Every structure is written in structure tokens, then in C-alpha cells.
Amino acid sequence: MARQKDTFYFDGFRRSADYACQAAKLLSEVMHDFNPGQLRERMDSMHAIEKSADEVRHDMMDELVTAFITPFDREDIDELGHVLDDVTDSIEGVLNRMYYDNVTDMRDDAVQMSDMVVRATESICELVNELPRFRHSKTLRELVFAINTIETDADHLFIESMRTLHTTCTDPLQVFAWHDVYRHLERCSDDCERVANTIDSIVMKNS
């Protein structure tokens, strides 16, 4: 599986996962030390991460077009590259919405959700590192399960956060803003789970 000619793809997956983790940590930093006046600057930093992630995906797709032998099905390589890139895109989307929905105060449950995204992306990095040796990995399935668990916990927190928002916030503009932000935070954890499930599917097909 981990033939020398396959290294390009596995390195690309690792780089994509790392960019997703960088994006998640940046979002968490913004939320933990929230300053509305710095959002525009932090968006620029986030976009630089997202652009680098896009370049990795484009390089992988360019290589895939001309490759004769690939480590597993081309469709699976394309799908994994796509879902990894989606994670970074979704994280950037949260920060963008905080800016243009004019979020002025941070909410504790949103901070918790961002920390869950950090944990999920860290697990994705570990999971992608295990992919080249999946037949002998003792932790790959555990990492898939861990990401699934984070997504389930994030879903529960999302429901309670939305309930609290709609029953305690009296400013309709802030209700609208946070409704948007919460939904995109939930999408981040959903996208992380999609990466785990895609890798799980690839492993099952190639075992």
C-alpha cells in the first residue's frame, strides 16, 4: 500500500489535514479571545490557510489525471481530497459569518463547539497519518470512532445552544446572527465526520 510512488497522495492528505487543523485552531483562538475589531484581520489569516489547502487539492487532482497507478481507486482519492478540503472551507465559513453577521459578543457554547472542531481535526491528522499502513494500524478504527463521538456530542450541544439562543436572547439581529454561526459550526463537525467515514469506507474496500 505504502509504495514509494504513492507517497505523493498520502503527503497531500496529510497536508490537507494539517491545514484543516490550523484553521480550527485559529477559529478557536478568535473565539477564546474575541475581539470584533480584529475579525477582518483574522479573516485574512484564515483565507491564507484556505488558499494553501486549495492548492494542495489542485496539485493532487492534477497528478491524478495523469497517474497510471494509484494507491486506491481514483474516485476514492478524489472524494477524500474533496472532504478534507471541505473541513477547511467550513471553518473559514464560520469566521466569515461572524464578521458579516456582525457578531459583537462571544457565547460560551460557541467556544465549546469550536474546541470540539479542534479535537476533531487533530484526530483527522492522526487518522490520515495511519492511512498508508491501515492494514496494520491498531488505532485507525479507534480514531474513526472518536471523530464520530465528537460529532454526536457537537450535535447535542448544537441543539441545546439553539434552544438557549431562542429562549434567552431578546435581540432579533443577534438571534439571526448566531443561528447562522451555530449552523456552520455544526457543519464543521459534520464535515470532520465525513472525512472519518470516507477513510473508513476506503479501508473496508481495500482490506
Side-chain angles (χ1 to χ4, degrees):
M1 182 72 179
R3 296 167 298 187
Q4 185 64 35
K5 67 185 76 172
D6 298 335
T7 300
F8 174 84
Y9 297 104
F10 294 122
D11 285 348
F13 295 143
R14 290 189 189 98
R15 291 170 63 200
S16 294
D18 183 63
Y19 283 128
C21 197
Q22 288 181 39
K25 289 178 178 178
L26 175 57
L27 178 64
S28 180
E29 289 172 8
V30 170
M31 290 190 162
H32 274 275
D33 188 21
F34 187 64
N35 183 340
Q38 294 180 349
L39 278 178
R40 178 68 260 182
E41 178 183 349
R42 307 312 286 275
M43 284 170 61
D44 291 340
S45 299
M46 182 70 79
H47 187 65
I49 296 172
E50 189 274 336
K51 183 178 179 182
S52 295
D54 278 348
E55 290 173 356
V56 172
R57 172 161 167 70
H58 293 157
D59 288 346
M60 290 179 66
M61 294 307 100
D62 288 345
E63 177 69 19
L64 193 60
V65 169
T66 58
F68 181 67
I69 297 175
T70 57
F72 38 84
D73 288 348
R74 294 170 185 272
E75 293 80 4
D76 290 333
I77 292 174
D78 178 52
E79 177 65 12
L80 181 52
H82 176 71
V83 295
L84 280 166
D85 192 52
D86 281 349
V87 176
T88 305
D89 288 343
S90 294
I91 294 169
E92 182 184 29
V94 175
L95 194 54
N96 290 347
R97 278 157 182 82
M98 288 168 58
Y99 176 74
Y100 64 63
D101 284 337
N102 193 33
V103 168
T104 56
D105 294 295
M106 187 49 55
R107 298 175 68 90
D108 289 342
D109 43 23
V111 175
Q112 294 177 51
M113 292 176 76
S114 73
D115 288 343
M116 288 180 172
V117 176
V118 171
R119 295 205 310 273
T121 56
E122 288 175 340
S123 294
I124 285 174
C125 287
E126 294 182 58
L127 182 57
V128 168
N129 282 333
E130 289 296 309
L131 186 56
R133 53 183 178 274
F134 72 87
R135 287 192 178 93
H136 309 289
S137 175
K138 297 180 180 179
T139 60
L140 191 146
R141 294 307 301 276
E142 294 176 4
L143 289 164
V144 169
F145 180 74
I147 295 168
N148 292 154
T149 300
I150 292 170
E151 192 277 335
T152 298
D153 292 343
D155 276 350
H156 292 158
L157 180 56
F158 168 74
I159 292 170
E160 293 306 316
S161 299
M162 291 288 277
R163 170 68 180 177
T164 301
L165 173 68
H166 285 276
T167 56
T168 63
C169 185
T170 58
D171 182 346
L173 292 178
Q174 286 300 299
V175 170
F176 172 83
W178 277 105
H179 189 278
D180 203 22
V181 172
Y182 282 139
R183 289 191 66 84
H184 280 81
L185 277 166
E186 186 205 18
R187 181 178 296 176
C188 293
S189 58
D190 288 345
D191 285 343
C192 289
E193 183 178 49
R194 195 168 293 111
V195 171
N197 291 343
T198 299
I199 291 177
D200 199 31
S201 175
I202 290 170
V203 168
M204 293 297 291
K205 288 170 63 176
N206 291 275
S207 295

